[in-house]
Amino acid sequence: MRRSIWQLIGFVISALYALGFGLLAIVGLLFLGLRDDISDDVVALGSLLVVVWTVGPLVAFGVDDTFEPRRLAQFPLSTRDLMLGTGVAALAGPGGLVTVLVSLGFVAAWVSQPVALVAALVGAALGLVTAVVGSRATTSAVRPLLEGRRGRDLMLGATVVGVSLVGPAIVLFSGAEIEVTALAHQTAPVLAWTPFGAPYALPAAVAAGSWGAALAHLAIAVASPVLLILWWRRSLERTLVRPSRVSAGRGRGLGVLGRVPDSQLGAVLARCLTYWVRDPRYVTSLLSIPVVVILLVLFAGNGTWLLVGGPLIAWSLGWAISTDVALDSTAFWTHVAAPMGGAPDRWGRALAIGVPGLVLSLGVAVGTLAYADRWDATAAVVGATVGTLLAALGLASIVSAMVVFPVTAPGENPFASKQGGSLAALLSQTVGSLALLLVLSPTLVVAVVAIVKTSAVLSAVSGVLGLATGVVALMVGMKVGARRLEDGAPELLARLRSF
């Protein structure tokens, strides 16, 4: 934080937000505890808190870890010192502050029952220790698996799918009319006998006079962090004595470079294809496609709105290259030093995602037509899909040649965000998206009318209009983007180096 006053300001603001949220949680739990029995709610919320701490490192892989064991190995610290220091440091942040305050709220919920209050204090302490130790143990155990590229790629895929399915899960729960309180009452009896919920079930058992159950909950709550500490210690010792593994390619020959034309266009195409397959920042765009389809099915069912799937996927994939130069980071110097022509650069990047994007978006379009049984709208949907993809590629090629801003660097967590580029990213993406929407508006309007009116003539007109609009926008975008890139490449590189 010493390096940037803005990072310090951001930390202070986050800490204030965390403090406010934590105090509200204490007051709320105290008030609810005085009014009613919320033992099941406490068990459910406490279990969720411990789970979030335990699986959090799996989501945050790739984030710079100041307390990475190998960085501290050069200091004269024992394994015990490392564990104690990193464990305490895990709470030194907004997330740790919220966790401590919410844990105090769990204690405050039992203020009306003195004996249970003491048990709640013990349980909250054990739950906090379990959460922190579980977080560090998971980090130490998973770290060796993520040192190889395959491990990182698998973890990325699981994370993207898991995070993306949160929305559909919420929709399903809403559709099933499941209340949060009812869900807590249903799950708390089971969670109470797990390492996640046992610490928070202790005061309820004491309050009910069930001393056998209380001892059982206490045994689970004590044994869980002890076992986690042993697991953490063993993983940490292995990490400290084992050298870091570096992934090495096992491919034969030139790979994709050996299968493309021997030209500037072929070189850019091969490099971008490699990025789309192996760079997590690009792969996330592809992994989100099935999630978008699931959301459409959940929200639209088999209705007319389902037909927006094809154009929506086309827009997402085509517009993805609007940040291509920014994602190159300082490696863009190779294009400047070559020197790389503007046209090969623009066409190579567009073809790398344009061809597979066309297959994917058309596949979704045809699938939605079949699912909704609206084959009468085939021309309109296909025309809108292809037109959207081509137009998005064209306009994105202009935007990426004009604007660069701080983005996640290669090798970093694709979910992380860079400071200092939010405004530039927001403006460029908003203006570019509005321009794309303006270009596509005639096609989309005619397509919507054709679908609503089930007009075969308007559907055909929409299809032709979409193809024509897409081709024109693509050609203009390639020409303007190439000229702008050739004229401003040195300035773009200077800006990239300044981030």
Side-chain angles (χ1 to χ4, degrees):
M1 289 187 293
R2 295 179 181 176
R3 300 179 182 178
S4 172
I5 185 63
W6 294 110
Q7 289 183 351
L8 178 59
I9 293 174
F11 177 82
V12 172
I13 294 175
S14 300
L16 290 175
Y17 271 109
L19 179 62
F21 179 83
L23 292 176
L24 285 176
I26 292 177
V27 174
L29 288 168
L30 173 61
F31 178 73
L32 292 174
L34 291 173
R35 288 187 56 188
D36 199 359
D37 178 16
I38 59 169
S39 57
D40 287 344
D41 303 276
V42 169
V43 171
L45 290 174
S47 300
L48 179 62
L49 192 66
V50 177
V51 168
V52 169
W53 270 85
T54 304
V55 303
L58 303 182
V59 179
F61 73 95
V63 176
D64 179 35
D65 188 358
T66 305
F67 301 102
E68 201 277 326
R70 292 194 182 98
R71 293 186 178 183
L72 302 176
Q74 57 183 317
F75 300 103
L77 298 173
S78 63
T79 303
R80 178 179 175 276
D81 294 334
L82 281 175
M83 295 175 65
L84 182 61
T86 55
V88 174
L91 293 173
L97 179 59
V98 168
T99 303
V100 172
L101 293 177
V102 171
S103 298
L104 291 177
F106 293 152
V107 177
W110 294 98
V111 70
S112 61
Q113 303 183 51
V115 179
L117 179 64
V118 175
L121 185 60
V122 174
L126 290 172
L128 183 62
V129 173
T130 301
V132 174
V133 174
S135 172
R136 304 312 304 175
T138 304
T139 301
S140 299
V142 172
R143 191 185 308 278
L145 301 178
L146 300 181
E147 291 178 349
R149 179 179 295 274
R150 179 171 297 180
R152 291 196 301 269
D153 291 345
L154 290 175
M155 189 61 67
L156 168 68
T159 303
V160 171
V161 173
V163 172
S164 301
L165 289 178
V166 171
I170 294 175
V171 174
L172 288 175
F173 279 124
S174 300
E177 299 182 353
I178 298 178
E179 296 183 359
V180 175
T181 304
L183 183 62
H185 289 314
Q186 294 172 7
T187 58
V190 177
L191 294 173
W193 297 102
T194 67
F196 308 113
Y200 308 101
L202 177 60
V206 171
S210 302
W211 298 107
L215 288 175
H217 291 310
L218 180 62
I220 296 173
V222 172
S224 298
V226 170
L227 294 176
L228 286 171
I229 289 174
L230 295 176
W231 181 34
W232 179 16
R233 184 183 186 90
R234 184 174 182 181
S235 300
L236 190 60
E237 290 174 344
R238 287 183 175 180
T239 301
L240 292 174
V241 299
R242 181 176 53 202
S244 178
R245 292 185 300 156
V246 179
S247 298
R250 291 183 294 177
R252 298 178 180 178
L254 297 177
V256 180
L257 283 171
R259 297 178 174 84
V260 295
D262 185 12
S263 63
Q264 290 186 343
L265 172 61
V268 176
L269 175 61
R271 183 174 65 84
C272 291
L273 285 173
T274 302
Y275 282 178
W276 277 103
V277 173
R278 307 193 68 172
D279 192 327
R281 300 171 301 168
Y282 287 83
V283 175
T284 50
S285 299
L286 300 178
L287 292 178
S288 62
I289 292 177
V291 178
V292 172
V293 175
I294 292 174
L295 287 174
L296 282 173
V297 173
L298 290 175
F299 280 109
N302 60 350
T304 303
W305 279 105
L306 189 63
L307 301 181
V308 305
L312 187 62
I313 296 298
W315 183 304
S316 176
L317 293 177
W319 191 250
I321 65 172
S322 62
T323 59
D324 238 22
V325 175
L327 290 173
D328 279 354
S329 188
T330 52
F332 183 65
W333 77 268
T334 57
H335 289 237
V336 180
M340 174 71 68
D345 179 278
R346 300 292 85 184
W347 281 106
R349 296 177 189 270
L351 287 173
I353 187 58
V355 174
L358 182 63
V359 175
L360 290 172
S361 56
L362 282 179
V364 173
V366 173
T368 55
L369 286 167
Y371 191 78
D373 195 20
R374 287 297 306 271
W375 294 109
D376 57 287
T378 299
V381 173
V382 170
T385 300
V386 177
T388 299
L389 178 64
L390 298 181
L393 290 171
L395 268 68
S397 297
I398 298 176
V399 172
S400 68
M402 296 178 62
V403 182
V404 292
F405 44 83
V407 295
T408 305
E412 292 184 346
N413 186 352
F415 300 105
S417 59
K418 288 288 186 178
Q419 297 183 356
S422 300
L423 182 60
L426 178 63
L427 288 176
S428 63
Q429 295 298 300
T430 301
V431 173
S433 297
L434 290 175
L436 178 57
L437 183 61
L438 181 64
V439 169
L440 292 171
S441 57
T443 300
L444 298 179
V445 169
V446 177
V448 169
V449 174
I451 293 173
V452 172
K453 299 293 185 180
T454 62
S455 172
V457 175
L458 287 179
S459 181
V461 171
S462 173
V464 174
L465 183 59
L467 293 175
T469 301
V471 171
V472 172
L474 178 64
M475 299 305 296
V476 172
M478 290 295 110
K479 186 174 181 179
V480 174
R483 185 185 303 119
R484 182 65 185 84
L485 188 66
E486 290 176 350
D487 295 340
E491 289 78 8
L492 288 176
L493 178 60
R495 268 182 270 167
L496 289 171
R497 290 176 59 86
S498 67
F499 298 150

